[in-house]
Each structure stands twice: as C-alpha cells, then as structure tokens.
C-alpha cells in the first residue's frame, strides 16, 4: 500500500542517532559451497538469504538512494526460523539491527517512537532467543508498553502522524504475550475491532468496518496468542470464505504470495488444515523451480505472472512461514542450520 511505503521511508530517514551498546555476537561464516536440498521450503529460505546485502540486511531504493529496510530484514529472520535454515544470515541480521543508527532509524529516536516497528523488532529478538528488554541498549518491551493508550491501542508518537494499524496491534500483543502476557486492555481493543463479518480491518476507527485479508491473518495469530480462541476461529472462517478455489488470497484485486502466506500462517494456527494445504499448494506453484534461471531457483514470485526480482524477496519472506506451517505465536530459531541451501536439480 502507498501509505506503508511512505511510512517505511519515514522510518529510515528520520531516526536520531544514539550511542547504544551492541548486545549480540557475530555469526560464523556460512559454508563456501552451500548444500543442496530437495526441500522446497528450505530452498526458498536459502534463496532469500543470498539476496541479502553483505549477508546481513535488505535495502530499499528511493530516488536512486539505498536505505536500510529493517522491516523486510526482520521478515527474513522469521523466514529462516520457520525453515530452520540460514541461521548464520539471521545472526548477522539481528546483529545489524542492533546497531545504533539502524535501530533508531526503525523504531524512532528522541521524541519519535513507532509502535509497529518496536513490536515487530521485539518479536524478531524473541524469535532469535535474545532478550527484548536489553537489545541494542534499549528495553523494547518497556518502550512498547509506553506506546499503549488508555483504550488499549498501541499508537505512534510522531510529528509525522500516527500510522499504527492492525499489524501494530497484533505484533504488540504477540510480543508481549511471549514475554509473559499482553495487557488485558490491549487484547480487548483487538477483539473489539472485529468486523461484523468476522474479519478484521487494517485501519482502526473506520466509518464502515472493512475486513482485510492481511490484517485478519495477523489479528488471528494475536488472538491465538492471547487465548481468544473463539474469535480467532470466527476470523479464520471469514478467511476461508474469501479463499479462492486455487487456494490463493487476494489483496488489491490481485491473488498474491504475500497475502496467501500470511493467511496460511493464520489457518495453521487455528487448525484449518485443508484450507492451509490449499494455500500452500498455491504458494508452491509460484516457486521458481529447476526450469528457471539458476540464480532464481527457490524464489517465490509475488503473482502468477512470474518471477520479478523487485517483488520476489518480500513475497518469499512472507510466504515461507506459511509454507512451513509456522505461526508467529511459537516461532523459534532453535535448531536452525547455518547455511543457505540451493535447490537440487538434476
């Protein structure tokens, strides 16, 4: 969405630098010759790892200038944990995220504080098995709870406006639940946001509540984390009602890997195995196989129109956790292998 793109640009260009301590160790280098795999989920994670700049981060280009893309880098951390692959790249990524300029450029510094970015980073730290109360010299959880309003909504504190939405709320509830329990008012705000048809909106305080696939998928995982099983199941039923016969989910009028991957995570979190399997098959059909260019094999295309290097990294990152049946509620990097495997072809 255009709003999200503007928000990402704001996040990477308005951070205030601070002298913060680095709290993670450097990764061991990956093997010079990566292993081959017939497992298509592992191959997707391996492809994504090899797209990282300096093996540690993603970047986004505006006006010919490359800016750090912390959000996609955290998505990659989720991907590597889901596939249990590319752990050396994930360690490099979390080390990079703890750098002073990188962390404040993402979550805000000074009077700027961004709820969704803070919550997503806290979850990324938890997935890596690190302490979100002491990451890059910042207590992410205290910072996050400080952004909760009396209504229970997590909101940005920014001169640029409040861009918080259902993603912000869901990431916050999941991260705080993993840290011992989300505040009751935050969960209540989330549950009260459900639309009459069972789905959830992306934006709050709409005149008409309009359910959104991506927002609903995130809200479902937060509801499962908070123990709101009945509402999670109601939302999952709405997701199934808008699933296409080929297993895909649509956003902006286009069936795509990003929305289908997020929906697959929510479906597996609620035990909707058949619908998850159908979504998984759609995602696998988007993957570049052995007939594709060697450098592209393993990648997951955004749509059925085929591989596009501009959209494939984000599509792959958001598809793999759903392919791997990994929910954000319990996602962990424990047991991950260090290397980035390539797809085995005859």
């Amino acid at each position: 969405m255009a709003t999200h793109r503007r928000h990402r640009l704001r996040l990477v260009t308005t951070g205030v630098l601070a002298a913060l301590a680095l709290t993670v160790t450097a990764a061991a280098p990956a093997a010079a010759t990566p292993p081959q795999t017939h497992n298509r989920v592992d191959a997707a994670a391996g492809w994504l790892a090899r797209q990282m700049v300096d093996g540690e981060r993603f970047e986004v280009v505006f006006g010919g200038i490359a800016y750090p893309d912390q959000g996609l880098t955290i998505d990659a951390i989720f991907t590597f944990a889901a596939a249990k692959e590319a752990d050396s790249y994930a360690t490099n990524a979390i080390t990079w995220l703890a750098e002073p300029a990188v962390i404040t450029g993402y979550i805000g510094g000074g009077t700027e504080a961004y709820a969704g970015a803070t919550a997503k980073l806290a979850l990324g730290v938890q997935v890596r098995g690190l302490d979100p109360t002491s990451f890059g010299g910042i207590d992410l959880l205290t910072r996050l709870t400080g952004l909760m309003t009396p209504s229970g909504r997590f909101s940005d504190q920014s001169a640029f406006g409040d861009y918080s939405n259902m993603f912000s709320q869901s990431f916050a509830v999941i991260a705080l639940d993993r840290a011992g329990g989300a505040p009751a008012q935050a969960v209540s705000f989330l549950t009260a946001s459900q639309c009459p048809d069972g789905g959830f909106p992306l934006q709050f305080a709409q005149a008409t509540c309009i359910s959104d696939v991506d927002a609903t998928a995130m809200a479902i995982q937060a509801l499962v984390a908070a123990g709101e099983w009945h509402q999670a199941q109601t939302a999952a039923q709405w997701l199934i009602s808008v699933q296409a016969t080929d297993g895909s989910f649509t956003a902006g009028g286009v069936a795509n890997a990003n929305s289908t991957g997020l929906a697959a995570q929510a479906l597996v979190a609620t035990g909707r195995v058949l619908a998850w399997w159908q979504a998984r098959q759609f995602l696998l059909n988007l993957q570049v196989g052995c007939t594709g260019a060697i450098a592209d094999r393993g990648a997951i295309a955004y749509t059925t129109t085929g591989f596009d290097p501009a959209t494939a990294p984000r599509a792959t990152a958001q598809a793999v956790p759903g392919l791997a049946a990994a929910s954000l509620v319990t996602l962990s990097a424990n047991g991950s292998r260090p290397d980035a495997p390539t797809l085995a072809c005859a």
Side-chain angles (χ1 to χ4, degrees), residues 37-80:
T37 181
H38 291 283
N39 185 303
R40 294 171 68 180
V41 175
D42 295 351
W47 178 86
L48 183 66
R50 291 188 294 278
Q51 311 315 303
M52 300 181 87
V53 177
D54 296 333
E56 67 175 9
R57 68 188 184 275
F58 283 96
E59 295 179 344
V60 59
V61 178
F62 287 100
I65 300 174
Y67 297 96
D69 191 336
Q70 294 95 326
L72 180 54
T73 302
I74 299 171
D75 285 336
I77 287 174
F78 295 156
T79 288
F80 302 150

Side-chain angles (χ1 to χ4, degrees), residues 224-346:
V224 170
E228 298 292 337
W229 187 248
H230 174 72
Q231 284 194 269
Q233 288 291 351
T234 302
Q237 190 58 46
W238 178 82
L239 271 185
I240 292 172
S241 75
V242 297
Q243 186 176 25
T245 56
D246 64 359
S248 68
F249 288 85
T250 296
V254 179
N256 66 84
N258 301 42
S259 298
T260 304
L262 288 174
Q265 283 186 281
L267 292 169
V268 78
T270 49
R272 304 303 184 103
V273 177
L274 178 58
W276 163 75
W277 181 258
Q278 292 170 331
R280 186 178 191 273
Q281 293 307 116
F282 174 79
L283 293 171
L284 289 175
N285 289 336
L286 296 178
Q287 189 171 31
V288 179
C290 291
T291 59
I294 293 176
D296 303 338
R297 292 174 184 173
I300 296 174
Y302 176 60
T303 69
T304 56
T305 57
F307 176 81
D308 180 345
T311 57
R314 195 173 306 275
T316 302
Q318 295 193 355
V320 167
L323 278 171
S327 166
L328 294 174
V329 179
T330 57
L331 187 62
S332 171
N334 289 344
S336 295
R337 295 167 289 273
D339 301 316
T342 59
L343 184 64
C345 296

Side-chain angles (χ1 to χ4, degrees), residues 3-344:
T3 300
H4 290 168
R5 289 193 293 270
R6 290 195 297 270
H7 188 41
R8 283 197 297 271
L9 179 58
R10 172 170 64 80
L11 291 179
V12 299
T13 57
T14 61
V16 178
L17 304 185
L20 304 173
L22 195 64
T23 61
V24 292
T25 57
T33 302
Q36 292 190 333
T37 181
H38 291 283
N39 185 303
R40 294 171 68 180
V41 175
D42 295 351
W47 178 86
L48 183 66
R50 291 188 294 278
Q51 311 315 303
M52 300 181 87
V53 177
D54 296 333
E56 67 175 9
R57 68 188 184 275
F58 283 96
E59 295 179 344
V60 59
V61 178
F62 287 100
I65 300 174
Y67 297 96
D69 191 336
Q70 294 95 326
L72 180 54
T73 302
I74 299 171
D75 285 336
I77 287 174
F78 295 156
T79 288
F80 302 150
K84 302 298 184 186
E85 297 288 357
D87 195 60
S88 62
Y89 293 83
T91 303
N92 288 343
I94 203 70
T95 301
W96 174 76
L97 285 163
E99 293 177 6
V102 175
I103 193 171
T104 57
Y106 186 53
I107 69 173
T111 59
E112 294 286 305
Y114 315 131
T118 303
K120 186 173 181 177
L121 179 58
L123 182 57
V125 171
Q126 291 168 324
V127 168
R128 291 298 304 161
L130 301 175
D131 183 3
T133 67
S134 180
F135 181 74
I138 298 175
D139 184 339
L140 294 171
L141 298 184
T142 296
R143 182 184 179 92
L144 180 58
T145 54
L147 295 175
M148 189 179 71
T149 66
S151 69
R153 175 179 176 174
F154 292 90
S155 295
D156 297 341
Q157 293 178 1
S158 173
F160 299 90
D162 184 4
Y163 287 82
S164 62
N165 55 28
M166 186 59 70
F167 274 69
S168 310
Q169 194 75 17
S170 299
F171 273 125
V173 168
I174 295 170
L176 291 172
D177 179 80
R178 290 176 64 131
Q185 57 267 47
V187 177
S188 294
F189 183 88
L190 175 66
T191 58
S193 301
Q194 193 165 22
C195 295
D197 61 9
F200 282 82
L202 178 61
Q203 304 296 340
F204 299 121
Q206 296 177 334
T208 302
C209 192
I210 301 174
S211 293
D212 175 86
V213 168
D214 296 35
T216 300
M218 286 298 303
I220 286 173
Q221 294 179 81
L223 291 168
V224 170
E228 298 292 337
W229 187 248
H230 174 72
Q231 284 194 269
Q233 288 291 351
T234 302
Q237 190 58 46
W238 178 82
L239 271 185
I240 292 172
S241 75
V242 297
Q243 186 176 25
T245 56
D246 64 359
S248 68
F249 288 85
T250 296
V254 179
N256 66 84
N258 301 42
S259 298
T260 304
L262 288 174
Q265 283 186 281
L267 292 169
V268 78
T270 49
R272 304 303 184 103
V273 177
L274 178 58
W276 163 75
W277 181 258
Q278 292 170 331
R280 186 178 191 273
Q281 293 307 116
F282 174 79
L283 293 171
L284 289 175
N285 289 336
L286 296 178
Q287 189 171 31
V288 179
C290 291
T291 59
I294 293 176
D296 303 338
R297 292 174 184 173
I300 296 174
Y302 176 60
T303 69
T304 56
T305 57
F307 176 81
D308 180 345
T311 57
R314 195 173 306 275
T316 302
Q318 295 193 355
V320 167
L323 278 171
S327 166
L328 294 174
V329 179
T330 57
L331 187 62
S332 171
N334 289 344
S336 295
R337 295 167 289 273
D339 301 316
T342 59
L343 184 64

